[in-house]
Amino acid sequence: MLTAKIFKLMLMAGVVFMMAMDSPRVFKGGTSSGQSTVTVDTGHGVSVTWSTRTGAIQTALIGHSQGHSLLDMNLPSPSWFIRSNGRLIPMAYRWRGYRIQGDQVTLLHELTMPDGPTWQVEEQPASIVGRGGLLALQRTFKISSPNQGTASRGRLVKRIRTGTNQGVTLPNQTNGPLYPLGLNDNFMADVVFVQSGPTIITTSFNGHWVDQPERPVTVKESRS
């Protein structure tokens, strides 16, 4: 009877441990290049760090069987704009924290135009397996409760990396218009948010695949 009780307690502890392992992890309060940061474990061994001063990605740390790789994806400030009458106008940025619902982390951004109107933007990051089995970071952006009349003032624009600061290309896919800035601009591009619904940006990590478990060797194969 005692052994059965101990086994039951161990099983319950194991379930609690697995639930903790499956829950998203957010690390805040760090500093990088003099900026406050927040790091999110987005899954598949990928941890992504955002600056809470600009709301832009700084680094992506990718774990694999040989160790890990650190990709420098830092962007010059600012990285948020409003596109109005063919001009890009920088937006003032304010970090509003994050929330966790189930296994999804949502980053909260506040953007203010020079003449006052404010946009509330939610960003949901997740690591996925993209084209060719490459690891990719998929970010879903939603404009939440903008001030009345803000949408008519222009289109929101997010500047992103199309290559790291080490020169590694980062293929991007998005459902919004994408305008590359050119090689002389350190591999960057602007994504214009769609007019209705979420804007999705998927950035693939070239040269990084999901680690696959080793396939057992059969007796026939071991003799060949």
Side-chain angles (χ1 to χ4, degrees):
M1 179 67 70
L2 182 60
T3 302
K5 288 184 177 179
I6 293 174
F7 177 78
K8 186 176 180 180
L9 288 171
M10 291 176 64
L11 181 61
M12 292 175 63
V15 171
V16 172
F17 176 75
M18 288 303 294
M19 289 175 64
M21 289 294 289
D22 289 340
S23 63
R25 294 182 294 168
V26 179
F27 308 92
K28 56 182 179 178
T31 57
S32 176
S33 302
Q35 299 187 44
S36 297
T37 61
V38 61
T39 300
V40 179
D41 180 357
T42 57
H44 291 300
V46 179
S47 294
V48 182
T49 298
W50 281 259
S51 166
T52 58
R53 188 165 63 87
T54 65
I57 291 177
Q58 289 195 312
T59 61
L61 183 67
I62 303 174
H64 44 74
S65 57
Q66 288 76 37
H68 65 269
S69 300
L70 182 65
L71 304 180
D72 183 357
M73 299 172 64
N74 193 28
L75 279 167
S77 183
S79 64
W80 300 86
F81 303 86
I82 193 79
R83 187 175 185 178
S84 178
N85 297 323
R87 296 190 305 123
L88 283 182
I89 304 171
M91 305 276 279
Y93 177 81
R94 185 180 181 187
W95 167 253
R96 301 296 292 178
Y98 64 91
R99 67 170 181 264
I100 298 176
Q101 292 178 310
D103 61 353
Q104 180 63 64
V105 176
T106 301
L107 307 179
L108 307 176
H109 311 286
E110 183 178 276
L111 309 172
T112 304
M113 298 175 64
D115 56 353
T118 297
W119 303 65
Q120 304 295 333
V121 179
E122 300 181 355
E123 176 182 1
Q124 295 181 336
S127 294
I128 64 171
V129 180
R131 287 185 174 180
L134 284 174
L135 276 173
L137 177 67
Q138 181 172 280
R139 295 186 284 164
T140 302
F141 295 87
K142 299 177 182 178
I143 300 175
S144 174
S145 302
N147 285 0
Q148 187 174 5
T150 301
S152 63
R153 294 174 177 264
R155 300 275 292 278
L156 189 62
V157 175
K158 181 74 179 81
R159 186 154 292 173
I160 63 171
R161 276 281 174 200
T162 58
T164 71
N165 285 315
Q166 302 101 323
V168 179
T169 58
L170 299 171
N172 283 273
Q173 291 180 283
T174 178
N175 61 335
L178 184 147
Y179 298 96
L181 300 186
L183 297 180
N184 294 330
D185 291 290
N186 295 323
F187 300 101
M188 294 185 291
D190 287 340
V191 174
V192 180
F193 277 38
V194 297
Q195 290 183 309
S196 62
T199 298
I200 301 173
I201 303 173
T202 303
T203 303
S204 296
F205 299 122
N206 260 345
H208 296 279
W209 294 267
V210 177
D211 280 342
Q212 299 292 333
E214 292 186 5
R215 185 169 59 88
V217 178
T218 65
V219 174
K220 181 178 180 180
E221 287 175 331
S222 64
R223 290 177 178 174
S224 61

